[in-house]
Each structure stands twice: as C-alpha cells, then as structure tokens.
Amino acid sequence: MITCSAQTVHTNNIKIREISSGSPQASSSRSPQEWQSILSHAVTEPEELLNTLGLNPDLLPGAVTASQSFRIRVPHTYIARMEHGNPDDPLLKQVLPISDEMVEAPGFSHDPLGEQPKNSQRGIIHKYQGRLLLMPGSLCAVNCRFCFRRHFPYDDNKLNKEEWQSALEYIRQDASLKEVILSGGDPLVQNDRRLKWLIEELANIPHLQRLRIHTRLPVIIPQRVTDDLVNSLTSTRLKSVVVIHSNHPNEIDHTVSAALSRLYRAGVQLLNQSTLLKGINDNAETLAELSEVLFHNHVMPYYLHLLDKVQGAAHFEVSEEQARKLVGDMSQFCSGYLVPKLARETAGMPSKTIISPTYHSI
Ligand SMILES: *Cc1c(COP(=O)(O)O)cnc(C)c1O
Ligand code: SF4
C-alpha cells in the first residue's frame, strides 16, 4: 500500500512521523509505512496476547502484574510464528510477562552492566576502545522479558537537535573511533529519513570506517527492511554490518529469510547475537539448528551471551558451567564457524569476556 499523505503513527511512548515519497516507481511492493503500521498495532495488553493464542486465562494475573514494571509489546508478525495453545512456545516465553519476574533474586540488579555511570554524553555509551554505542531512541519493536535494558532510563536518552549535534561532535573529536554501533532501544525504529541523515553525518567523519547496527527488527518485523533502508546502508562509504538478534530457529520464517536475503544481496555483512535462555534455547540441538538456519540465510553466528543479571530475569538464567558444556556439545556436531562465541559482559571490563567451552572425550 502506498499513500501520498503524511501519516502519524502513535505508539505508546513515541510518535513516529513519516512522509511518504509519493512516488510509486521509487518503491517496490514493500510500502515504507507497512512496518510502522505493524509496529503501531503491536499487542500491548497481556489479555490480548493470551486470547490471540488461545492460552489459559490463569496466566493473566501474573502477566498483568509483571507488565506493570516493564510493559508487554509484541507485534503480530512475531505472534504469527508461535504455536497456538502452547504456553511453552519458545517465542512466547521471550515476550510473555510472568509472575517469576517479581521475584527479587540476589545478585540481580537494575544496571548490571554499569552503563548508567558511563552515560555522561547523552545518547552515547563509550566503554570499549575504537567503537561506541550511539542510541538514537528508546523504543524496541518487541519487549524481551530478559532484556538487560528493562530498567534503563531511556527517557533521558531521547536526543533533541542540540544533543544530536553534541553526540556527533563527540564522535568527530575522537579520532581513535573506527566504528559506530547504532543500538538502543532498537535503532531501526527510527524512520528511513532520519537514518539516512544520520548515516550521511557519520560518513562525513573521516576516521570512521564502519557502521554497525544492533537490531532485532529484521527478525520481529521483517517488513522493516525497506528499499530505502537497504539503499542507505549500501550507498555510504562506510562498511555496513547488521547484527540481528535471534534466539531460536522458529524465529526465522520465510518472511525473515526474504528480508535477510535483501540485505545480503545488497552487500551488507550479517551477524547474529543470541542470549542463552533457560527453557528456550538451552540445549545443544536447538543452538546448532539456529546456527544452521542462520547460515542458510547468510548470517554468521557471532555472540551467544550469558544472561545479564538484571532484576526480573533470574528465571532465564543458565549457569556458566552449563553454558560451557552446551557450547562444547554443540562443537561436536557443528562446523567450527557455526559455533558462536560464548560471552559475558562484566561491568568495568574493557571488552566482553569470552568463555571457553568445556569438551569431553567420546
Ligand atoms: C557489546 C558492546 C560493544 C561491542 O562489542 P564488540 O565486542 O565489538 O561486539 C561496544 N560497546 C558496548 C558498550 C558494548 O556493550
Ligand atoms: S534491546 Fe533487544 S533484547 Fe532488549 S527489549 Fe529491545 S529488542 Fe529485546
């Protein structure tokens, strides 16, 4: 659907304004607004999610309580890949609030990565050498229950015009930076016009070589991979790397495949990061299948993250010992390049920490 009008899409805490080009020839069958419409119609009430999937209403009170501290958000494109009537569906479990989130777990904090003290320049987290996170906005296409940013004060990170200039100035001033990582929230929630502007600004900074985007949108709403987005990523002098976030092979259906294919064919380097999640992907077969499916779709496995110890996510934790075994087992029946690096992020460390798998002889 192509419209020529200005359209304002309201979501819960942001307003996205997108003006279409009005030129049907310039666009393909993927309307620039389709993804925004899908995003604005995402399920934000636990009851609607349970009803849509035909789940037991007994789950409702826990879901309602848990969603008060971190709201539920799930687009229908993602729900469509869940199994009807299955409360243990591995996609559902990533997004359905449950009463376990209310349990105070020792060692789990509100800011496990120590990001808030580093956040002196608004919109920027600069912890590692040569690269930094630039966060254009606060919204995600989906609210993942295990997310380490569930308590992050995003409202403080919405940039106005001066703050944009000041963030860009920070990057301009530091010639040791080679790579800017757009992160968030999900940076692809920004509209194509804003992203195009941002990518052009970054490309004008001579010491930058790479643009990396950390995003779950190609997985959650694959319609987000518009022609304009692909053009912005490939018409710049910067090398573009898109790091998607997929945790389970069921997440990659034909619509996601098609979106990944568009990026790949245009020359974008594709990587994946996953989080190891109890009851969702904590077995070697599932992890191996995920790697196989990703590679089939031109995506190289990058990181498998141990859960960040954020309050409300303790029920997703897989122990380090168990994780090392899982990756060791996976290495037995996976090509070496399909085994992701098991990583933990520790506050105050100059990089992520890679954890070696444990192997046992046959
Ligand atoms: C993960 C992360 C990066 C990127 O790390 P890589 O190991 O290069 O993928 C950069 N900055 C911050 C703050 C991070 O958390
Ligand atoms: S930042 Fe990533 S993991 Fe966290 S809620 Fe957003 S999409 Fe999910």
Side-chain angles (χ1 to χ4, degrees):
M1 185 196 71
I2 293 168
T3 64
C4 300
S5 58
Q7 183 184 346
T8 303
V9 179
H10 293 273
T11 62
N12 292 295
N13 46 24
I14 64 153
K15 209 166 93 173
I16 307 164
R17 194 174 149 77
E18 175 74 59
I19 299 165
S20 75
S21 68
S23 154
Q25 304 91 302
S27 189
S28 72
S29 56
R30 288 177 299 280
S31 149
Q33 269 109 31
E34 187 184 0
W35 68 271
Q36 291 176 321
S37 166
I38 294 167
L39 179 58
S40 67
H41 291 105
V43 169
T44 52
E45 295 299 333
E47 192 169 10
E48 189 185 348
L49 182 60
L50 296 180
N51 287 343
T52 306
L53 288 165
L55 293 167
N56 191 331
D58 289 355
L59 293 164
L60 189 59
V64 168
T65 311
S67 63
Q68 276 157 10
S69 55
F70 182 46
R71 77 167 312 156
I72 180 174
R73 183 192 312 282
V74 202
H76 288 282
T77 43
Y78 192 62
I79 297 172
R81 290 166 240 161
M82 298 174 188
E83 189 191 352
H84 196 83
N86 179 8
D88 293 322
D89 181 275
L91 277 52
L92 175 71
K93 283 171 105 172
Q94 296 181 51
V95 298
L96 176 67
I98 58 169
S99 53
D100 286 0
E101 292 180 26
M102 312 312 293
V103 177
E104 295 265 319
F108 284 70
S109 79
H110 280 72
D111 180 25
L113 306 186
E115 289 196 335
Q116 287 171 29
K118 295 270 178 190
N119 202 8
S120 53
Q121 167 69 54
R122 275 152 77 84
I124 282 182
I125 297 180
H126 189 186
K127 287 207 292 194
Y128 303 163
Q129 277 180 37
R131 59 234 198 261
L132 56 65
L133 301 184
L134 174 60
M135 306 184 299
S138 58
L139 192 72
C140 287
V142 66
N143 284 351
C144 309
R145 307 316 297 177
F146 51 85
C147 185
F148 71 95
R149 294 188 198 279
R150 52 184 292 157
H151 305 288
F152 204 72
Y154 281 121
D155 290 347
D156 299 340
N157 278 286
K158 276 186 199 150
L159 304 188
N160 61 33
K161 238 181 181 165
E162 291 77 52
E163 288 162 346
W164 266 117
Q165 289 309 335
S166 145
L168 288 166
E169 191 54 29
Y170 180 97
I171 297 167
R172 239 173 252 131
Q173 293 298 322
D174 187 343
S176 72
L177 291 169
K178 290 194 169 64
E179 180 173 17
V180 166
I181 303 169
L182 301 186
S183 181
D186 195 313
L188 293 191
V189 165
Q190 306 297 313
N191 67 36
D192 285 335
R193 214 159 14 99
R194 167 130 1 136
L195 283 167
K196 182 171 192 276
W197 170 81
L198 177 57
I199 293 170
E200 281 167 1
E201 291 287 317
L202 292 172
N204 284 335
I205 301 176
H207 50 264
L208 291 182
Q209 296 173 13
R210 292 185 299 280
L211 170 71
R212 193 194 318 182
I213 300 187
H214 282 180
T215 175
R216 199 147 153 69
L217 256 157
V219 173
I220 303 296
I221 305 178
Q223 291 82 348
R224 176 64 191 93
V225 182
T226 58
D227 294 346
D228 283 347
L229 174 66
V230 174
N231 286 341
S232 294
L233 291 175
T234 52
S235 60
T236 169
R237 71 168 183 87
L238 300 169
K239 288 267 179 231
S240 294
V241 182
V242 170
V243 184
I244 64 166
H245 170 178
S246 175
N247 298 319
H248 194 280
N250 292 4
E251 289 179 342
I252 316 289
D253 70 355
H254 67 280
T255 61
V256 177
S257 283
L260 295 171
S261 231
R262 287 200 289 282
L263 288 165
Y264 171 76
R265 283 199 313 263
V268 176
Q269 174 77 53
L270 295 171
L271 303 172
N272 179 64
Q273 50 185 342
S274 309
T275 299
L276 187 55
L277 299 165
K278 189 164 151 188
I280 293 170
N281 60 9
D282 58 339
N283 69 77
E285 290 75 20
T286 304
L287 292 172
E289 192 190 338
L290 175 60
S291 278
E292 298 280 353
V293 169
L294 287 167
F295 187 73
H296 190 73
N297 287 286
H298 322 290
V299 184
M300 292 299 291
Y302 181 31
Y303 281 136
L304 175 63
H305 296 281
L306 287 178
L307 187 77
D308 296 310
K309 291 184 180 260
V310 63
Q311 190 65 250
H315 56 289
F316 288 115
E317 197 187 23
V318 178
S319 72
E320 181 168 322
E321 193 195 345
Q322 178 69 12
R324 297 177 64 194
K325 268 198 205 125
L326 281 172
V327 179
D329 289 353
M330 192 186 170
S331 313
Q332 286 177 23
F333 47 84
C334 257
S335 302
Y337 57 85
L338 295 186
V339 181
K341 293 195 264 194
L342 182 62
R344 169 182 303 287
E345 196 167 344
T346 309
M349 294 297 279
S351 72
K352 297 194 192 340
T353 313
I354 304 302
I355 298 162
S356 55
T358 40
Y359 305 100
H360 35 106
S361 54
I362 311 165

